[in-house]
Amino acid sequence: MPELGEQIGGPEKLIRKLSTITSLSEAERDALRSLTLASRAYSSAQDIVREGDLPVNCCLVLDGFAYRYKLLADGSRQIVSFHVTGDLPDLQSLHLGRMDHSLGVVASTEIAFIPHLEVAALIRNHQGIATALWRDSLVDASIFREWIANIGARSAIPRIAHLFCELFVRMNVLGLSHDNSIVLPLTQADIGDATGLSTVHVNRSIQHLRSLRVIALRERRLHILNWAGLQAEALFDPSYLHLSDPPWAA
Amino acid sequence: MPELGEQIGGPEKLIRKLSTITSLSEAERDALRSLTLASRAYSSAQDIVREGDLPVNCCLVLDGFAYRYKLLADGSRQIVSFHVTGDLPDLQSLHLGRMDHSLGVVASTEIAFIPHLEVAALIRNHQGIATALWRDSLVDASIFREWIANIGARSAIPRIAHLFCELFVRMNVLGLSHDNSIVLPLTQADIGDATGLSTVHVNRSIQHLRSLRVIALRERRLHILNWAGLQAEALFDPSYLHLSDPPWAA
DNA sequence: CGCCTATTTGATCTGATTCAAACAATGTGG
DNA sequence: CCACATTGTTTGAATCAGATCAAATAGGCG
């Protein structure tokens, strides 16, 4: 049961992603198809870009899972976002030279690298692509805001449930779900670093969600057993993902 | 002792703000100076834009303090950012139609409204302004990431100290500080809603910072008594504000 | 002056952390 | 293909940072 991602090319994955938040003309799609992609598969977890780096490429996730994180002075790691097929997790490096965080991947992830110069040329020559990418970075920021609220104002169980809801909705709209399940190659320690909770408490909270029969988590997959129940537990409202907003829907 | 903000016009405040993160040509400055600004002074705290709205203007803070927040289903309020003179707190409304959060001001704040159509025209006609505004929205996102790390990984005292450091640096670079102090018209409840802490705990943490003699907080002003000490307490590193980054510094 | 809002203090409670160890799964080399 | 090492999950017990509840004090302002 291969993921859909396996069969289509990098540009198509990017087009599909951008199409979930904006509309692209055929000329713009063709311009994206002409991108030069140097891709690389990672068999083990590792960092792609590190805090302090001055990247000259943008990364595009072709398959697998990437995440951005900050290392604090006391050694703790805070994950600030997750990224899946079609995402451009460090698009910001195009306009902010120095990385203020790191980008890592989990095992079995494939990343394509697109030179900044090519992205800059696309932006210069195609107003629609500039708007799409800007809008993508604004949706990125909206997700950060929701994470601030999630971590700052929700208790452990709804907080984790909310993360699961977000990942499911995001992957589902990209066609990356199967039978109400998604790949979730994260350890409970990863989930803890993303939600600001200890591994032990993540474990106990997940057990609670399991006992409610709203999710199942096994073999690196998250199965949604009861979407309405999970959503209610998380008080999840997907509008912050801006998947069906003006102006593009108009 | 009037704030510097009193004496110069709205466009100049915006130019000064953008100049802290990018460089603008004289033509671009002139274009910004030609903006039509309808300004309004708020004598009491109130909302300017609400979650769900479809704004047709961008807001520019001329004076005072604005903040963005989310209201959660359980009634709690999470503040996700603060904004001061020269900031464009809802620039994102230009590309994300529907507001996913609200924008409020504290008493004695003055806001200018710039029609989206005018901002869009500026972006279309001036590549440098487009880049500056995009970069501004990316710095905004960087601050959100830092807040995620602050709330998710720091304990109460460093968390509050970090917020104070950020506000001081941001206002200082805009020329809004006086004798190592800034205006801070926030209640302890506001600070609690921004940091994910209860009002009582904010109070006790601030008392701790006072007892360390790193800050003084009185008459709606935050005085930095010992910058190095406060910074050490917060483990504050200002690089996420991207105030001295390539490419514009090059 | 008196009302309303903000700050402060005290006491108690609890969600979450920490420490420690057992257990399960996964992968590796011989 | 098994023995072993490594990584991830689960459980239990003790502890603590921060929340909650309640009430007193202090400021601002009409």
Side-chain angles (χ1 to χ4, degrees), chain A residues 4 8 24 44 59-60 70 73 91 94 137 146 200 206 234:
Chain A
L4 178 52
I8 65 175
L24 295 169
S44 64
C59 299
L60 167 64
K70 289 188 165 233
L91 177 57
L94 189 64
S137 64
E146 187 68 26
V200 171
I206 287 176

Side-chain angles (χ1 to χ4, degrees), chain A residues 95 134, chain B residues 22 123 126-137 247:
Chain A
H95 284 112
W134 192 340
Chain B
T22 194
I123 289 170
H126 301 271
Q127 182 64 46
I129 291 177
T131 301
L133 294 181
W134 191 342
R135 190 171 149 92
D136 181 58
S137 65

Side-chain angles (χ1 to χ4, degrees), chain B residues 187-189 200 203-204 207 210:
Chain B
T187 67
Q188 294 182 356
V200 172
N203 181 278
R204 289 177 173 137
Q207 283 180 51
R210 279 203 266 244

Side-chain angles (χ1 to χ4, degrees), chain A residues 10 13-18 60-63 84-89 136 174 176:
Chain A
K13 290 172 182 173
L14 176 57
I15 290 168
R16 184 173 55 177
K17 162 60 191 270
L18 293 178
L60 167 64
V61 181
L62 296 178
D63 195 33
V84 296
T85 303
D87 282 347
L88 291 164
D136 181 58
L174 291 168
L176 298 171

